[in-house]
Amino acid sequence: STIVLVFEAPADFEFTIHAGDKVKVGQCLGDI
Amino acid sequence: VITAWTSTPTKWYPLPLAVGALLLVAIQYRRKVRNSAKEVEVDEEGREVIKLKGPWHVHVIGALPLRNMSRLWGYVNSLELPVWFRPYGYRLYAYAFGCNLDEIEPSDLRSYPSLGAFFYRKLKDGARPVDPAVLVSPADGTILHFGTIDQDYMRVEQVKGITYHLDALLGVERPGSPVAMVEHNRDASTVDDQEFAIVNGIEYTLEQLIGGSGTSSEESSTPSTPPNEVADDSDHPDPHAPPKKFGQRIDASVVEPERNTTAHDASVALEMGVKPALERKYSTGARNVRPGNTLHFAVIYLAPGDYHRFHSPTAWVVEKRRHFVGELFSVSPWMAKRLENLFVLNERVALLGRWKYGFFGMVPVGATNVGSIKVNFDQTLRTNVRGRPPPPGTYTEAVYSNASPILRGQPLTPAEEMGGFCLG
């Protein structure tokens, strides 16, 4: 199964992850 | 052979010009055929026709009755296991797929009657600390891909070099839809210095909004739109009519929430800047991005051993859901690299709404082994049911405008449990 997130964000939004990273619920994906 | 290979003299001579010209023609022809295969086929309305595209083994998998296999898989895994066998069976499963049994609740493995129940296990309170960032992971899994969406082309990259259209993933926004309706009624809803708000003629104080000493809005007044009534059904087609074309909405209903508290609404409202739905300058939607903002996407893959419930990735309001019945291909990274339009072909539930920066969408996508998607606040949703799937792109839609008269949708706080994937 997969979850796709699509969202609008300001230009200064940055992902804090990399492709292939293992993540857990509540872990930071991105921030402003 | 060795003697012939070593002792035969090599004699070089020029090819005739015609052979060289023929070779160039053949190369050009091959390149043209490859490029034409990559061209997007569109219907009479100019929308991309979603078809199964990929190497031969993808077509072989596509010929299998995946939906029936998925339901059979679900049935087998719902069978009750002998109590004595459960600890051994689940420990073996956990060992094979890397599950952490220390964090599950309840921890007694004998309390899970079937593998399906164990698969949909809960976690202990506090097992997943929540980061204060604006966006957190909605699930345990692996990041497959992420990035920005070019708003000129509106295409999302599945993997490097393979893209699909955002409209095909989320559905096409139509005039008369709930988001458009809220925007249309904007003049009737005003906020005065954030001290009180008038929503469709009903006055709310800030205390009512944030759950202070005042009575809740549910107690003090009722929303102007009665429950279970579609607020604007002028654009809703006959729910029993068959889908005619790509992107057609084939049903519309308003879902009654199980329970919502004003305090819960307020916690979301405060995180969103208090005035969502009341004083919005821009209609939310993937095609209504505010000036200076960008559309982003992220794809998280849940492996068989991962915790399979999903949570809210931020403070947001879900305005509607669109259920796309489709195929149930595997969504493993191996398949994602080979099958074009994988996330558009598969059965999925697009939850669409807004957060404090504008549009927000979350799309749980089913797969062969996990074809059933549950959404806690939507008891009417049924996925992976028997029957031939409608053409790709058609969907059923439900709106959550009655869930909260303040927020005009289902409010969610960061990391709040939303639902999950079940076996089969």
Side-chain angles (χ1 to χ4, degrees):
Chain A
S1 40
T2 298
I3 293 175
V4 182
L5 300 177
V6 180
F7 54 94
E8 175 184 351
D12 53 348
F13 175 84
E14 281 188 9
F15 283 106
T16 54
I17 47 172
H18 299 94
D21 282 358
K22 296 265 185 193
V23 291
K24 293 201 179 288
V25 172
Q27 184 179 326
C28 175
L29 289 187
D31 209 348
I32 293 171
Chain B
V1 170
I2 291 170
T3 307
W5 182 257
T6 51
S7 61
T8 304
T10 306
K11 186 182 176 186
W12 294 94
Y13 56 91
L15 280 171
L17 193 63
V19 175
L22 278 173
L23 186 67
L24 284 174
V25 168
I27 291 171
Q28 283 295 333
Y29 176 75
R30 192 176 169 192
R31 190 175 293 166
K32 192 177 175 184
V33 167
R34 281 188 176 176
N35 287 341
S36 64
K38 282 186 178 177
E39 282 175 7
V40 175
E41 193 179 338
V42 295
D43 63 9
E44 68 275 9
E45 292 186 356
R47 296 196 183 105
E48 182 181 351
V49 177
I50 308 299
K51 282 184 176 174
L52 190 68
K53 280 190 261 180
W56 66 270
H57 28 281
V58 163
H59 288 270
V60 170
I61 296 169
L64 298 172
L66 296 172
R67 294 174 58 81
N68 290 335
M69 287 164 62
S70 179
R71 281 193 295 279
L72 178 65
W73 177 247
Y75 171 74
V76 169
N77 285 299
S78 68
L79 296 177
E80 199 163 313
L81 297 171
V83 177
W84 65 267
F85 175 76
R86 293 174 190 173
Y88 303 107
Y90 299 148
R91 281 208 180 90
L92 180 66
Y93 181 91
Y95 175 76
F97 292 104
C99 314
N100 183 2
L101 297 179
D102 295 333
E103 61 187 17
I104 65 172
E105 180 71 36
S107 54
D108 183 7
L109 294 178
R110 286 172 299 185
S111 61
Y112 298 93
S114 64
L115 183 62
F118 177 75
F119 188 82
Y120 200 67
R121 61 196 175 273
K122 287 184 74 173
L123 295 183
K124 288 176 182 168
D125 287 342
R128 296 285 182 271
V130 183
D131 195 280
V134 294
L135 185 74
V136 297
S137 176
D140 286 8
T142 306
I143 301 294
L144 271 191
H145 204 29
F146 65 92
T148 56
I149 299 170
D150 189 322
Q151 284 162 55
D152 291 331
Y153 298 101
M154 298 298 273
R155 296 196 73 86
V156 188
E157 199 169 56
Q158 183 174 305
V159 293
K160 203 75 179 170
I162 301 178
T163 62
Y164 55 87
H165 204 282
L166 188 64
D167 284 346
L169 177 75
L170 304 179
V172 181
E173 200 63 56
R174 290 167 174 277
S177 67
V179 172
M181 180 197 73
V182 171
E183 179 66 11
H184 187 68
N185 290 344
R186 193 181 64 207
D187 293 340
S189 306
T190 56
V191 175
D192 184 10
D193 296 327
Q194 298 182 10
E195 291 297 330
F196 71 93
I198 301 171
V199 185
N200 288 341
I202 301 167
E203 188 175 299
Y204 298 91
T205 67
L206 188 59
E207 282 185 340
Q208 286 174 325
L209 278 169
I210 62 174
S213 57
T215 55
S216 75
S217 60
E218 289 173 350
E219 292 165 350
S220 60
S221 57
T222 53
S224 58
T225 306
N228 292 326
E229 181 181 314
V230 178
D232 181 2
D233 61 358
S234 59
D235 190 53
H236 295 173
D238 178 6
H240 303 295
K244 290 177 185 170
K245 58 187 82 167
F246 174 85
Q248 184 173 2
R249 181 170 51 193
I250 59 177
D251 184 26
S253 59
V254 174
V255 176
E256 183 73 9
E258 277 194 319
R259 174 164 172 73
N260 272 289
T261 62
T262 307
H264 183 259
D265 293 5
S267 69
V268 179
L270 284 171
E271 288 197 56
M272 296 181 69
V274 174
K275 50 186 178 182
L278 307 179
E279 195 183 54
R280 282 196 284 143
K281 290 181 181 176
Y282 302 98
S283 172
T284 49
R287 287 199 172 272
N288 296 306
V289 173
R290 299 176 198 181
N293 281 6
T294 314
L295 275 177
H296 300 259
F297 75 95
V299 184
I300 301 161
Y301 168 67
L302 286 71
D306 287 330
Y307 166 68
H308 260 72
R309 297 190 185 208
F310 51 78
H311 295 239
S312 170
T314 187
W316 66 304
V317 175
V318 189
E319 293 174 333
K320 62 181 136 184
R321 64 114 160 117
R322 289 175 177 164
H323 174 209
F324 296 78
V325 180
E327 293 297 335
L328 285 172
F329 292 104
S330 163
V331 289
S332 66
W334 184 89
M335 199 66 168
K337 285 176 189 167
R338 284 162 182 81
L339 176 54
E340 290 185 38
N341 289 313
L342 173 60
F343 302 131
V344 177
L345 286 165
N346 266 21
E347 180 153 5
R348 63 198 180 279
V349 178
L351 299 165
L352 308 176
R354 63 187 192 277
W355 69 330
K356 80 171 126 174
Y357 304 109
F359 168 76
F360 198 95
M362 177 171 166
V363 188
V365 184
T368 319
N369 62 333
V370 278
S372 300
I373 301 167
K374 277 187 183 176
V375 175
N376 294 347
F377 51 84
D378 190 341
Q379 302 301 318
T380 62
L381 178 66
R382 293 285 179 274
T383 57
N384 197 10
V385 292
R386 186 193 296 265
R388 181 185 287 270
T394 53
Y395 57 84
T396 55
E397 181 173 286
V399 295
Y400 303 123
S401 54
N402 279 0
S404 165
I406 308 292
L407 296 167
R408 296 289 189 94
Q410 177 66 44
L412 296 166
T413 51
E416 180 178 347
E417 187 185 312
M418 291 176 66
F421 298 96
C422 297
L423 284 179

